[in-house]
Amino acid sequence: MGADIETFYDVIRRQGVTRRSFVKFCSLTATSLGLGSMGASTIAHALETKPRVPVIWLHGLECTCCSESFIRSAHPLVKDVVLSMISLDYDDTIMAAAGHQAEAILAETKAKYKGRYILAVEGNPPLNEDGMYCIVGGQPFVEKLKWMAADAAAIIAWGTCASWGCVQAARPNPTRATPIDGVIKDKPIIKVPGCPPIAEVMTAVVTYVITFGHLPELDRQGRPKMFYSQRIHDKCYRRAHFDAGQFVEAWDDEGARKGYCLYKMGCRGPTTYNACSTVRWNNGVSYPIQSGHPCIGCAEDNFWDKGPFYSRLTNIKQFGIEKNADTVGMAAAGVVGAAVVAHAAVTAAKRVARGRNGNGSSNDKQTG
Amino acid sequence: MPEAASLIAADAVGTDSEAACGVVYVYEAPVRFWHWINALAILVLGVTGYFIGRGIPTMPGEASANFLFGYIRFAHFAAGYILTVGFLLRIYWAFVGKPHAAQIFYVPVWRKSWWSEVWQEILWYAFVVKRPKKYVGHNPLAQLVMFVMYTLITVFMIVTGFALYSQGEGSDSWQHKLFGWVFAIWPDSQDVRTWHHLGLWVIVVFAIIHIYSSIREDIASRQTIVSTMISGERIFRDDQRD
């Protein structure tokens, strides 16, 4: 099974590790995991026989920022992921093959590793006009996606495009761009949202899947819990200023200089599930809030339509532009308040005009 | 009124007009107690909720010396719990209390007479009808508004409120297990925040209408309204059938 794909053992040996070191590694790992006397040989056997997992990486409507993020992974280095951990059989933006040669790989992988390959999807398919808004290799992307998904073991939906829809699905969504789970219903889908997702989150998800042979635990939304179970707000280093009530009120004010909470500048940290405030970006250097800019919630559903980015309250489109819950609510309360005052005035005027008993309780009052 | 006691026996919500004379004990102590506790909780929730939605003016000094926003949020959550527990007890009381205690939890849309009486009340408020009907409990229009703008909205606010609260408590919390399904409807919780914030304004509008109509009815209708929620007794100003 999969004999012509390199096993992990092959990879380890190719990188210059001796057989002796390999066996020592297996023993040490088995010991430290407390696996018992047969553990070492079980691990060695698994590494010697388990082939690298074939991964097909498709690109639909997207901007390639997910790939750009992925190739910057530092822990693990992306070269280790691509060259040693997985067998990246197809990725049209970075592969050497082109044209018919490239497309032939899809059919080959689909047939050869039926039900065993991972389908990683960057971007999403547009459904309007039979998918004609996104043609890859002479075929609508939505058809290619369905075709490749049919025999995949699992699907990784890279980024907000594949997970939620992102910018191409923003109102009015002319091409009817649809996230992966809107098209593929019968396969396990793991959503890794973010625009782009954090590099280390991407490689960690791949690492997890190939190490354990199954998907990590997912939340209700289909995101891996290990990276998306807490909000940016929950681990934000500016959280103390939030609880204290110390906010940036303008971009150049004292609060901005002191690094106060960006809540009032529209920070979406309290509504955004991602690992930015713990894993951070660019090899752990920083993340948007750390550099003084509020989170725009790029890992959340429909975040482009939750504008303005720099306002705490979201505009409610149904009431026209630039109207948020407070303006709508205050207007409603104002109208009702004015109506009540007018109604009270009419009631009072009528009572004055008709006398105290003229309201209908007739002329014989019992409890006077 | 001596005949009041016997009238209470006949006091079913559907036959209000027969019972509506003299003094009728309509709101038992738990209902009244709940009403005022609930009103207070809503006041706290509304004010703190408004500030949570918008943020507060920046506090001076070190972060370690301040916890104002934390206290505001605590007050909001505490009042939310009081409102929720109160609401659950109120539902219990709808079953064991007098029939009128159940009025805010349903609208008898199946009863034709109820619809015509809603219309009657609308005409009364439009100054067309000169003489209002008498009711032991809520008049049909009040019941309708109470059901839609209070009961349904309160359920909505409790559900969305606990869903948002569960974000801080974490996905392992009972709040998330019980109310996390809200995020299946709105995957981005910013939407839930927007709706929860709009709910605040519905309640503000309800409060304006509720307070105004209570006072107006107390003055202009044929029975007491405001004092009834204090003493529990509805006093009718005339003994005429209609």
Side-chain angles (χ1 to χ4, degrees):
Chain A
M1 166 177 120
D4 46 351
I5 272 204
E6 269 189 323
T7 63
F8 289 103
Y9 177 68
D10 296 331
V11 173
I12 290 166
R13 290 302 302 273
R14 181 162 52 74
Q15 295 195 337
V17 178
T18 61
R19 170 80 193 169
R20 186 180 177 83
S21 299
F22 169 73
V23 174
K24 273 160 107 177
F25 164 78
C26 293
S27 311
L28 199 65
T29 307
T31 309
S32 55
L33 292 175
L35 292 183
S37 57
M38 291 304 287
S41 59
T42 311
I43 290 174
H45 180 74
L47 290 172
E48 280 167 355
T49 53
K50 216 173 164 187
R52 288 157 66 192
V53 180
V55 174
I56 297 292
W57 191 309
L58 295 182
H59 298 257
L61 281 187
E62 47 93 331
C63 70
T64 318
C65 76
C66 298
S67 291
E68 286 288 344
S69 178
F70 186 74
I71 61 176
R72 281 161 179 76
S73 176
H75 307 284
L77 280 170
V78 72
K79 69 131 179 127
D80 290 331
V81 175
V82 173
L83 300 178
S84 309
M85 290 160 70
I86 61 172
S87 171
L88 187 58
D89 291 358
Y90 178 97
D91 185 338
D92 52 32
T93 32
I94 59 173
M95 70 201 295
H100 293 297
Q101 278 181 322
E103 296 306 304
I105 295 169
L106 288 179
E108 191 191 323
T109 303
K110 183 178 157 76
K112 206 161 160 189
Y113 303 105
K114 195 172 160 63
R116 284 187 286 132
Y117 61 90
I118 304 274
L119 184 64
V121 187
E122 185 175 345
N124 58 29
L127 303 186
N128 271 356
E129 310 292 344
D130 298 323
M132 290 303 169
Y133 290 108
C134 184
I135 308 280
V136 183
Q139 198 185 5
F141 177 65
V142 61
E143 286 173 22
K144 182 176 272 183
L145 173 66
K146 283 179 179 166
W147 181 65
M148 282 311 289
D151 290 324
I155 298 172
I156 301 177
W158 285 141
T160 305
C161 296
S163 301
W164 302 121
C166 206
V167 67
Q168 61 272 44
R171 212 182 308 260
N173 191 1
T175 65
R176 198 148 72 89
T178 307
I180 305 306
D181 62 354
V183 178
I184 309 296
K185 305 282 189 191
D186 57 347
K187 292 284 170 186
I189 297 175
I190 176 169
K191 290 181 177 180
V192 187
C195 191
I198 301 167
E200 282 73 20
V201 169
M202 298 177 79
T203 48
V205 166
V206 171
T207 308
Y208 187 100
V209 173
I210 62 162
T211 305
F212 295 100
H214 59 83
L215 295 184
E217 200 185 342
L218 305 181
D219 70 1
R220 254 179 236 264
Q221 253 69 272
R223 302 171 292 202
K225 272 186 174 173
M226 52 185 167
F227 296 111
Y228 293 91
S229 64
Q230 279 191 315
R231 299 166 298 169
I232 287 167
H233 185 63
D234 294 319
K235 288 283 179 287
C236 185
Y237 80 107
R238 297 191 181 194
R239 178 61 189 257
H241 293 297
F242 171 82
D243 288 329
Q246 296 179 316
F247 302 107
V248 177
E249 313 256 6
W251 297 118
D252 54 353
D253 71 357
E254 189 63 20
R257 276 188 285 277
K258 284 181 172 168
Y260 284 173
C261 175
L262 291 156
Y263 188 71
K264 286 172 86 172
M265 300 308 284
C267 182
R268 298 288 190 265
T271 55
T272 304
Y273 286 86
N274 208 339
C276 299
S277 50
T278 44
V279 177
R280 309 201 181 196
W281 288 81
N282 301 319
N283 203 359
V285 169
S286 181
Y287 72 113
I289 294 166
Q290 195 171 343
S291 50
H293 190 278
C295 167
I296 61 171
C298 78
E300 289 296 317
D301 181 36
N302 268 335
F303 80 96
W304 292 103
D305 293 329
K306 303 290 159 52
F309 287 153
Y310 303 122
S311 163
R312 182 71 250 144
L313 300 173
T314 293
N315 279 350
I316 302 164
K317 303 282 190 302
Q318 285 73 15
F319 294 95
I321 52 164
E322 305 289 309
K323 299 280 187 294
N324 62 35
D326 272 351
T327 46
V328 171
M330 279 177 195
V335 168
V336 172
V340 159
V341 169
H343 199 269
V346 174
T347 307
K350 289 214 171 220
R351 279 177 74 79
V352 168
R354 290 179 25 219
R356 185 171 152 68
N357 290 330
N359 63 29
S361 41
S362 181
N363 39 17
D364 56 336
K365 287 178 64 68
Q366 293 283 313
T367 52
Chain B
M1 281 286 160
E3 72 264 39
S6 63
L7 284 167
I8 290 167
D11 175 18
V13 179
T15 57
D16 259 9
S17 51
E18 281 99 79
C21 50
V23 179
V24 180
Y25 184 55
V26 54
Y27 296 133
E28 300 127 299
V31 174
R32 285 175 277 147
F33 193 64
W34 166 79
H35 175 272
W36 295 110
I37 292 284
N38 193 53
L40 206 64
I42 288 175
L43 186 67
V44 173
L45 283 164
V47 172
T48 55
Y50 178 80
F51 283 118
I52 291 168
R54 296 208 70 117
I56 54 170
T58 285
M59 294 293 110
E62 288 298 316
S64 54
N66 291 287
F67 198 67
L68 183 59
F69 210 52
Y71 288 130
I72 288 176
R73 292 174 71 245
F74 174 78
H76 192 77
F77 303 146
Y81 270 110
I82 289 170
L83 177 114
T84 305
V85 171
F87 194 72
L88 292 176
L89 290 173
R90 185 64 181 75
I91 291 172
Y92 165 74
W93 197 257
F95 288 103
V96 301
K98 286 172 180 286
H100 287 108
Q103 264 192 311
I104 62 168
F105 293 106
Y106 71 98
V107 181
V109 286
W110 58 87
R111 205 187 296 146
K112 239 184 161 165
S113 63
W114 182 82
W115 283 109
S116 69
E117 287 180 43
V118 167
W119 183 239
Q120 279 290 309
E121 280 296 321
I122 292 171
L123 293 179
W124 156 242
Y125 272 88
F127 306 105
V128 176
V129 167
K130 298 277 182 285
R131 187 177 146 93
K133 284 178 176 294
K134 299 198 293 186
Y135 293 97
V136 173
H138 299 296
N139 74 56
L141 184 62
Q143 186 180 6
L144 182 64
V145 173
M146 204 80 81
F147 178 74
V148 175
M149 290 185 80
Y150 172 72
T151 309
L152 292 188
I153 289 293
T154 298
V155 170
F156 178 80
M157 293 303 264
I158 288 173
V159 169
T160 52
F162 270 96
L164 291 174
Y165 186 67
S166 80
Q167 295 195 298
E169 294 299 288
S171 53
D172 299 328
S173 63
W174 65 263
Q175 291 93 343
H176 189 79
K177 288 188 174 73
L178 222 54
F179 298 100
W181 53 267
V182 170
F183 301 116
I185 303 170
W186 295 289
D188 182 0
S189 62
Q190 180 73 11
D191 283 331
V192 184
R193 270 149 217 263
T194 302
W195 285 110
H196 193 71
H197 203 81
L198 271 178
L200 157 68
W201 288 106
V202 175
I203 290 173
V204 168
V205 169
F206 168 76
I208 294 171
I209 295 171
H210 180 64
I211 293 167
Y212 169 65
S213 56
S214 303
I215 293 170
R216 181 181 189 269
E217 288 289 302
D218 200 274
I219 297 166
S221 79
R222 296 157 69 190
Q223 65 260 321
T224 58
I225 301 284
V226 178
S227 63
T228 309
M229 202 34 95
I230 297 168
S231 68
E233 287 173 342
R234 183 86 76 214
I235 301 165
F236 292 93
R237 299 202 175 99
D238 65 75
D239 280 347
Q240 289 168 355
R241 264 289 154 97
D242 218 346

